[in-house]
Amino acid sequence: GRLNQKATGLDNLNIRKALMIGIDREALTKQILADGSLPAYGFVPPAIHPGPGNQTFREANGDLVPKDVSSARQYWKKGIEELGGQEPKLTMLFGDTSVARDIATYVQDQYKKNLGADFDVQILTFDASLDRVDQEDYEISYAFGWIGDYDDPMTFMDLYLSDSPFNNSFFESEEYDRLIKEAQTTSDLQLRMQNMLKAERILIEQAATVPVYFAVFAGVRKPYFKNFAYHSFGGTDWKYARIQGK
């Protein structure tokens, strides 16, 4: 989920933390999605393999988002106090598929239950939600996620550089920038990986994003459909696909 830090109230760390913590991800993935999707307690998905030593990145950094959903309300209350007692009026964007609508109902109910907050929901097409986020005309967006371009944590981590064109949450951290830019240029692979691990911890500590779930995909393939590649980090490769022996 994206939080527009230029929006009223979302520049407050405690408000963002409340939004990040206040969703029961286990119930979402098991009861609402029920398709094998995994609850997300970090930003980089477990399908990204490179990590320190023989660990994946996710194994090395573990679960970063607190799992005690009931603790979200104290952050929400503290944030409201810091905002002068004025509860922010927030609208959440969601996609228009049947699954996205179910998620919208669930998340809206979770924030009501765990924060005591009533948020509006807007259902949009994929293209319309992209336009709203690109135009900075949103507060909270759960309308779309991110699919990696290659099997390395950097395909996710560079999104939140302060000068990234994809950083439409407007998160800024000098230390995050330093760690990621050093990781992009160093030839020391151990330093590179440690920098990215530290940077992800900053991302979650600052509630710059709201990881919700890691989607999985299931399907069947005819035995005569050859050389089709589905990448674990996301996306498909049709370059060498062919029909053979049908």
Side-chain angles (χ1 to χ4, degrees), residues 56-121:
T56 66
F57 188 89
R58 187 74 277 125
E59 288 170 342
N61 242 6
D63 294 336
L64 299 178
V65 176
K67 295 184 179 181
D68 182 7
V69 177
S70 64
S71 68
R73 189 178 290 259
Q74 70 187 40
Y75 288 109
W76 183 251
K77 289 182 176 179
K78 186 174 181 181
I80 291 173
E81 290 175 5
E82 293 169 348
L83 294 172
Q86 186 67 38
E87 182 172 318
K89 302 298 181 184
L90 301 171
T91 297
M92 303 182 291
L93 307 184
F94 287 89
D96 63 347
T97 66
S98 60
V99 173
R101 290 172 186 269
D102 289 343
I103 295 173
T105 299
Y106 178 80
V107 171
Q108 187 180 41
D109 180 69
Q110 283 285 291
Y111 284 147
K112 174 66 174 177
K113 174 184 176 182
N114 298 322
L115 306 183
D118 286 306
F119 296 157
D120 291 332
V121 165

Coordinates of all heavy atoms in Angstrom, one line a residue, residues 56-121:
T56 N 17.9 -16.2 1.9 CA 17.2 -15.2 1.0 C 17.2 -13.9 1.8 O 17.4 -13.8 3.0 CB 15.8 -15.6 0.7 OG1 15.0 -15.6 1.9 CG2 15.7 -17.0 0.1
F57 N 16.9 -12.8 1.1 CA 16.8 -11.5 1.7 C 15.7 -11.5 2.8 O 15.9 -11.0 3.9 CB 16.4 -10.5 0.6 CG 16.5 -9.0 1.1 CD1 17.7 -8.3 1.0 CD2 15.4 -8.4 1.6 CE1 17.8 -7.0 1.4 CE2 15.4 -7.1 2.0 CZ 16.6 -6.4 1.9
R58 N 14.6 -12.1 2.5 CA 13.5 -12.1 3.5 C 13.8 -12.9 4.7 O 13.5 -12.6 5.8 CB 12.2 -12.7 2.8 CG 10.9 -12.6 3.6 CD 10.3 -11.2 3.7 NE 10.9 -10.4 4.7 CZ 11.4 -9.2 4.6 NH1 11.5 -8.7 3.3 NH2 12.0 -8.5 5.6
E59 N 14.5 -14.1 4.5 CA 15.0 -14.9 5.7 C 15.9 -14.1 6.5 O 15.9 -14.1 7.8 CB 15.6 -16.1 5.2 CG 14.7 -17.2 4.6 CD 15.4 -18.3 3.9 OE1 16.6 -18.2 3.6 OE2 14.8 -19.4 3.7
A60 N 16.8 -13.3 5.9 CA 17.8 -12.6 6.7 C 17.2 -11.4 7.5 O 17.6 -11.2 8.6 CB 18.9 -12.0 5.7
N61 N 16.2 -10.7 6.9 CA 15.7 -9.6 7.6 C 14.4 -9.9 8.4 O 14.0 -9.2 9.3 CB 15.3 -8.4 6.6 CG 16.0 -7.2 6.9 OD1 16.9 -7.1 7.7 ND2 15.7 -6.1 6.2
G62 N 13.9 -11.1 8.2 CA 12.7 -11.6 9.0 C 11.5 -10.7 8.8 O 11.3 -9.9 7.9
D63 N 10.6 -10.9 9.8 CA 9.4 -10.1 9.9 C 9.6 -8.7 10.5 O 10.1 -8.7 11.7 CB 8.3 -10.8 10.7 CG 7.9 -12.1 10.0 OD1 8.0 -12.2 8.7 OD2 7.4 -13.0 10.6
L64 N 9.4 -7.7 9.8 CA 9.7 -6.3 10.3 C 8.4 -5.6 10.8 O 8.5 -4.8 11.7 CB 10.4 -5.5 9.2 CG 11.7 -6.1 8.7 CD1 12.3 -5.2 7.6 CD2 12.7 -6.2 9.9
V65 N 7.3 -5.8 10.2 CA 6.0 -5.2 10.6 C 5.5 -5.9 11.8 O 5.4 -7.1 11.9 CB 5.0 -5.3 9.5 CG1 3.7 -4.7 9.9 CG2 5.4 -4.6 8.2
P66 N 5.3 -5.1 12.9 CA 4.7 -5.7 14.1 C 3.5 -6.5 13.9 O 2.6 -6.0 13.1 CB 4.5 -4.5 15.0 CG 5.4 -3.5 14.6 CD 5.5 -3.7 13.1
K67 N 3.3 -7.7 14.5 CA 2.1 -8.5 14.2 C 1.0 -8.3 15.2 O -0.1 -8.8 15.1 CB 2.6 -10.0 14.3 CG 3.5 -10.4 13.2 CD 3.8 -11.9 13.2 CE 4.7 -12.3 12.1 NZ 5.0 -13.7 12.1
D68 N 1.3 -7.5 16.3 CA 0.2 -7.2 17.3 C -0.7 -6.1 16.7 O -0.4 -4.9 17.0 CB 0.9 -6.8 18.6 CG -0.1 -6.5 19.7 OD1 -1.3 -6.8 19.5 OD2 0.3 -6.0 20.8
V69 N -1.7 -6.5 16.1 CA -2.6 -5.6 15.4 C -3.3 -4.6 16.5 O -3.5 -3.5 16.2 CB -3.7 -6.3 14.7 CG1 -4.7 -5.4 14.0 CG2 -3.1 -7.2 13.6
S70 N -3.5 -5.1 17.7 CA -4.1 -4.3 18.7 C -3.3 -3.1 19.1 O -3.8 -2.1 19.6 CB -4.4 -5.1 20.0 OG -3.2 -5.6 20.6
S71 N -1.9 -3.1 18.8 CA -1.1 -2.0 19.2 C -1.3 -0.8 18.2 O -0.8 0.3 18.5 CB 0.4 -2.5 19.2 OG 0.8 -2.8 17.8
A72 N -1.9 -1.0 17.1 CA -2.1 0.0 16.1 C -2.9 1.2 16.7 O -2.6 2.4 16.4 CB -2.8 -0.5 14.9
R73 N -3.9 0.9 17.6 CA -4.7 2.0 18.1 C -3.9 3.0 18.9 O -4.2 4.2 18.9 CB -5.9 1.4 18.9 CG -6.9 2.4 19.3 CD -8.0 1.7 20.1 NE -8.9 0.9 19.3 CZ -10.0 1.2 18.8 NH1 -10.5 2.4 19.0 NH2 -10.7 0.3 18.1
Q74 N -2.9 2.6 19.6 CA -2.2 3.5 20.4 C -1.4 4.5 19.5 O -1.2 5.7 19.9 CB -1.2 2.8 21.4 CG -0.1 2.1 20.7 CD 0.7 1.2 21.7 OE1 0.2 0.5 22.6 NE2 2.1 1.2 21.6
Y75 N -0.9 4.0 18.4 CA -0.2 4.8 17.5 C -1.2 5.8 16.8 O -0.9 7.0 16.6 CB 0.5 4.0 16.3 CG 1.7 3.2 16.8 CD1 1.7 1.9 16.9 CD2 2.9 3.9 17.1 CE1 2.8 1.1 17.3 CE2 4.0 3.2 17.5 CZ 3.9 1.8 17.6 OH 5.1 1.1 18.0
W76 N -2.4 5.3 16.5 CA -3.4 6.2 15.9 C -3.8 7.3 16.9 O -3.8 8.5 16.5 CB -4.6 5.4 15.6 CG -5.7 6.1 14.9 CD1 -7.0 6.4 15.5 CD2 -5.8 6.6 13.6 NE1 -7.7 7.1 14.5 CE2 -7.0 7.2 13.4 CE3 -4.8 6.6 12.6 CZ2 -7.4 7.8 12.2 CZ3 -5.2 7.2 11.3 CH2 -6.4 7.8 11.2
K77 N -4.0 7.0 18.2 CA -4.4 8.0 19.2 C -3.2 9.0 19.4 O -3.5 10.2 19.5 CB -4.7 7.3 20.5 CG -6.0 6.6 20.5 CD -6.3 6.0 21.9 CE -7.7 5.3 21.9 NZ -8.0 4.7 23.2
K78 N -2.0 8.5 19.4 CA -0.9 9.4 19.6 C -0.7 10.3 18.4 O -0.4 11.5 18.6 CB 0.4 8.6 19.8 CG 1.6 9.5 20.2 CD 2.8 8.6 20.5 CE 4.0 9.5 20.9 NZ 5.2 8.6 21.3
G79 N -0.9 9.8 17.2 CA -0.8 10.6 16.1 C -1.9 11.7 16.0 O -1.6 12.9 15.7
I80 N -3.1 11.4 16.4 CA -4.2 12.4 16.5 C -3.8 13.5 17.5 O -4.0 14.7 17.2 CB -5.5 11.7 16.9 CG1 -6.0 10.8 15.7 CG2 -6.6 12.8 17.2 CD1 -7.2 10.0 16.0
E81 N -3.3 13.1 18.6 CA -2.8 14.1 19.6 C -1.8 15.0 19.0 O -1.8 16.2 19.2 CB -2.2 13.4 20.9 CG -3.3 12.7 21.7 CD -2.6 11.9 22.8 OE1 -1.4 12.0 23.0 OE2 -3.3 11.2 23.6
E82 N -0.8 14.5 18.3 CA 0.2 15.3 17.7 C -0.3 16.2 16.6 O 0.3 17.2 16.2 CB 1.3 14.4 17.1 CG 2.1 13.6 18.2 CD 3.0 12.5 17.7 OE1 2.9 12.1 16.5 OE2 3.8 12.0 18.5
L83 N -1.5 15.8 16.0 CA -2.1 16.6 15.0 C -3.1 17.6 15.6 O -3.8 18.3 14.9 CB -2.8 15.7 14.0 CG -2.0 14.8 13.1 CD1 -2.8 13.8 12.3 CD2 -1.1 15.6 12.2
G84 N -3.0 17.8 16.9 CA -3.9 18.8 17.6 C -5.3 18.3 17.8 O -6.2 19.1 18.0
G85 N -5.4 17.0 17.9 CA -6.7 16.4 18.2 C -7.6 16.2 17.0 O -8.8 15.7 17.2
Q86 N -7.1 16.5 15.8 CA -7.9 16.4 14.6 C -7.7 15.1 13.9 O -6.6 14.9 13.4 CB -7.7 17.6 13.7 CG -8.5 17.7 12.4 CD -10.0 18.0 12.8 OE1 -10.3 18.8 13.7 NE2 -10.9 17.4 12.1
E87 N -8.7 14.2 13.9 CA -8.5 13.0 13.2 C -8.5 13.2 11.7 O -9.4 13.8 11.1 CB -9.6 12.0 13.5 CG -9.5 10.6 12.9 CD -10.6 9.7 13.5 OE1 -10.8 9.7 14.7 OE2 -11.1 8.9 12.6
P88 N -7.5 12.7 11.0 CA -7.4 12.9 9.5 C -8.5 12.1 8.8 O -8.9 11.0 9.1 CB -6.0 12.3 9.1 CG -5.7 11.3 10.2 CD -6.3 11.9 11.5
K89 N -9.1 12.8 7.8 CA -10.1 12.2 7.0 C -9.4 11.6 5.7 O -8.9 12.4 4.9 CB -11.1 13.3 6.5 CG -11.8 13.9 7.7 CD -12.6 12.9 8.6 CE -13.3 13.6 9.7 NZ -14.0 12.7 10.6
L90 N -9.4 10.3 5.6 CA -8.6 9.7 4.6 C -9.5 8.8 3.7 O -10.5 8.2 4.1 CB -7.6 8.8 5.2 CG -6.6 9.6 6.1 CD1 -5.7 8.6 6.9 CD2 -5.7 10.5 5.3
T91 N -9.1 8.8 2.4 CA -9.8 8.0 1.4 C -8.8 6.9 0.9 O -7.6 7.3 0.6 CB -10.3 8.8 0.3 OG1 -11.3 9.7 0.8 CG2 -11.0 8.0 -0.8
M92 N -9.2 5.7 0.7 CA -8.4 4.6 0.2 C -8.8 4.3 -1.2 O -10.0 4.1 -1.5 CB -8.5 3.4 1.1 CG -8.2 3.7 2.6 SD -8.2 2.2 3.6 CE -10.0 1.8 3.6
L93 N -7.9 4.1 -2.1 CA -8.1 3.6 -3.4 C -7.9 2.1 -3.5 O -7.0 1.6 -3.0 CB -7.2 4.3 -4.4 CG -7.1 5.8 -4.4 CD1 -6.2 6.3 -5.6 CD2 -8.5 6.5 -4.5
F94 N -8.9 1.5 -4.2 CA -8.8 0.0 -4.5 C -9.1 -0.3 -5.9 O -9.8 0.5 -6.6 CB -9.7 -0.8 -3.6 CG -9.3 -0.8 -2.1 CD1 -9.7 0.2 -1.2 CD2 -8.5 -1.9 -1.7 CE1 -9.3 0.1 0.1 CE2 -8.1 -1.9 -0.3 CZ -8.5 -0.9 0.6
G95 N -8.7 -1.4 -6.4 CA -9.0 -1.8 -7.8 C -10.4 -2.3 -7.9 O -11.2 -2.4 -6.9
D96 N -10.8 -2.5 -9.1 CA -12.3 -2.8 -9.4 C -12.5 -4.3 -9.6 O -13.6 -4.7 -10.1 CB -12.8 -2.0 -10.6 CG -12.1 -2.3 -11.9 OD1 -11.0 -3.0 -11.8 OD2 -12.5 -1.9 -12.9
T97 N -11.6 -5.2 -9.4 CA -11.8 -6.6 -9.6 C -12.6 -7.1 -8.3 O -12.7 -6.4 -7.3 CB -10.5 -7.4 -9.7 OG1 -9.8 -7.3 -8.4 CG2 -9.6 -6.9 -10.8
S98 N -13.2 -8.3 -8.5 CA -14.0 -8.8 -7.4 C -13.1 -9.1 -6.1 O -13.6 -8.8 -5.0 CB -14.7 -10.1 -7.8 OG -13.8 -11.1 -8.2
V99 N -11.9 -9.5 -6.4 CA -11.0 -9.8 -5.2 C -10.6 -8.4 -4.6 O -10.6 -8.3 -3.3 CB -9.7 -10.5 -5.7 CG1 -8.7 -10.6 -4.6 CG2 -10.1 -11.9 -6.2
A100 N -10.3 -7.4 -5.4 CA -10.0 -6.1 -4.9 C -11.1 -5.5 -4.0 O -10.9 -4.9 -3.0 CB -9.5 -5.2 -6.0
R101 N -12.3 -5.7 -4.5 CA -13.5 -5.2 -3.7 C -13.6 -5.9 -2.4 O -13.9 -5.3 -1.4 CB -14.7 -5.4 -4.6 CG -14.8 -4.5 -5.8 CD -16.0 -4.8 -6.7 NE -16.0 -4.0 -7.9 CZ -16.6 -2.9 -8.0 NH1 -17.3 -2.3 -7.0 NH2 -16.6 -2.2 -9.2
D102 N -13.3 -7.2 -2.4 CA -13.3 -8.0 -1.1 C -12.2 -7.4 -0.2 O -12.5 -7.3 1.1 CB -13.1 -9.4 -1.3 CG -14.3 -10.1 -2.0 OD1 -15.4 -9.5 -2.0 OD2 -14.1 -11.2 -2.5
I103 N -11.1 -7.2 -0.7 CA -10.0 -6.6 0.1 C -10.4 -5.2 0.6 O -10.1 -4.9 1.8 CB -8.7 -6.5 -0.7 CG1 -8.2 -7.9 -1.1 CG2 -7.6 -5.8 0.1 CD1 -7.0 -7.9 -2.1
A104 N -11.0 -4.4 -0.2 CA -11.4 -3.1 0.2 C -12.4 -3.2 1.4 O -12.2 -2.4 2.4 CB -12.1 -2.4 -0.9
T105 N -13.3 -4.0 1.3 CA -14.3 -4.2 2.4 C -13.6 -4.7 3.7 O -13.8 -4.2 4.8 CB -15.4 -5.2 2.1 OG1 -16.1 -4.8 0.9 CG2 -16.4 -5.4 3.2
Y106 N -12.7 -5.6 3.5 CA -11.9 -6.1 4.7 C -11.0 -5.1 5.3 O -11.1 -4.9 6.6 CB -11.1 -7.3 4.2 CG -10.2 -7.9 5.3 CD1 -10.7 -8.8 6.3 CD2 -8.9 -7.6 5.5 CE1 -10.0 -9.3 7.3 CE2 -8.1 -8.1 6.5 CZ -8.6 -9.0 7.4 OH -7.9 -9.5 8.4
V107 N -10.3 -4.3 4.5 CA -9.3 -3.3 5.1 C -10.1 -2.2 5.7 O -9.7 -1.7 6.8 CB -8.4 -2.8 4.0 CG1 -7.6 -1.6 4.5 CG2 -7.5 -3.9 3.5
Q108 N -11.2 -1.8 5.1 CA -12.0 -0.7 5.7 C -12.5 -1.2 7.1 O -12.5 -0.4 8.1 CB -13.2 -0.4 4.8 CG -14.0 0.8 5.3 CD -15.2 1.1 4.3 OE1 -15.8 0.1 3.8 NE2 -15.4 2.3 4.0
D109 N -13.0 -2.4 7.2 CA -13.5 -3.0 8.4 C -12.4 -3.1 9.5 O -12.6 -2.9 10.7 CB -14.1 -4.3 8.2 CG -14.7 -5.0 9.5 OD1 -15.6 -4.4 10.0 OD2 -14.1 -6.0 9.9
Q110 N -11.2 -3.5 9.0 CA -10.0 -3.6 9.9 C -9.6 -2.3 10.6 O -9.4 -2.2 11.8 CB -8.8 -4.2 9.1 CG -8.9 -5.7 8.9 CD -8.6 -6.5 10.1 OE1 -7.5 -6.5 10.6 NE2 -9.6 -7.2 10.6
Y111 N -9.6 -1.2 9.8 CA -9.3 0.1 10.3 C -10.4 0.6 11.3 O -10.1 1.3 12.2 CB -9.1 1.1 9.2 CG -7.7 0.9 8.5 CD1 -7.6 1.2 7.1 CD2 -6.6 0.4 9.2 CE1 -6.3 1.0 6.5 CE2 -5.4 0.3 8.6 CZ -5.2 0.6 7.2 OH -4.0 0.4 6.6
K112 N -11.6 0.2 11.0 CA -12.7 0.6 11.9 C -12.6 -0.2 13.2 O -12.7 0.4 14.3 CB -14.1 0.2 11.2 CG -15.3 0.4 12.1 CD -15.5 1.9 12.5 CE -16.8 2.1 13.2 NZ -17.0 3.5 13.6
K113 N -12.3 -1.4 13.1 CA -12.1 -2.3 14.3 C -10.9 -2.0 15.1 O -10.9 -1.9 16.3 CB -12.1 -3.7 13.9 CG -11.9 -4.7 15.0 CD -11.8 -6.2 14.4 CE -11.4 -7.2 15.5 NZ -11.3 -8.5 14.9
N114 N -9.7 -1.8 14.4 CA -8.5 -1.7 15.1 C -8.0 -0.3 15.4 O -7.2 -0.1 16.3 CB -7.4 -2.4 14.3 CG -7.7 -3.9 14.1 OD1 -8.2 -4.6 15.1 ND2 -7.4 -4.5 13.0
L115 N -8.5 0.7 14.7 CA -8.1 2.1 14.9 C -9.3 2.9 15.4 O -9.1 4.0 16.0 CB -7.6 2.7 13.6 CG -6.5 2.1 12.9 CD1 -6.0 2.9 11.7 CD2 -5.3 1.8 13.8
G116 N -10.5 2.4 15.1 CA -11.7 3.2 15.4 C -11.9 4.3 14.4 O -12.5 5.4 14.7
A117 N -11.4 4.1 13.2 CA -11.4 5.1 12.1 C -12.3 4.7 11.0 O -12.4 3.5 10.6 CB -10.0 5.3 11.6
D118 N -13.1 5.7 10.5 CA -13.9 5.5 9.3 C -13.3 6.1 8.1 O -13.2 7.3 8.0 CB -15.3 6.1 9.6 CG -16.1 5.3 10.5 OD1 -16.3 4.1 10.3 OD2 -16.6 5.9 11.5
F119 N -12.8 5.2 7.2 CA -12.2 5.7 6.0 C -13.1 5.5 4.8 O -13.7 4.4 4.7 CB -10.8 5.0 5.7 CG -9.8 5.3 6.8 CD1 -8.7 4.4 6.9 CD2 -9.8 6.4 7.5 CE1 -7.8 4.6 7.9 CE2 -8.8 6.6 8.5 CZ -7.8 5.7 8.7
D120 N -13.1 6.4 3.9 CA -13.9 6.2 2.6 C -13.1 5.3 1.7 O -11.8 5.2 1.8 CB -14.1 7.6 2.0 CG -15.1 8.5 2.7 OD1 -15.9 7.9 3.4 OD2 -15.0 9.7 2.6
V121 N -13.8 4.7 0.8 CA -13.2 3.8 -0.2 C -13.6 4.3 -1.6 O -14.8 4.6 -1.8 CB -13.7 2.3 0.0 CG1 -13.4 1.5 -1.2 CG2 -13.0 1.7 1.2

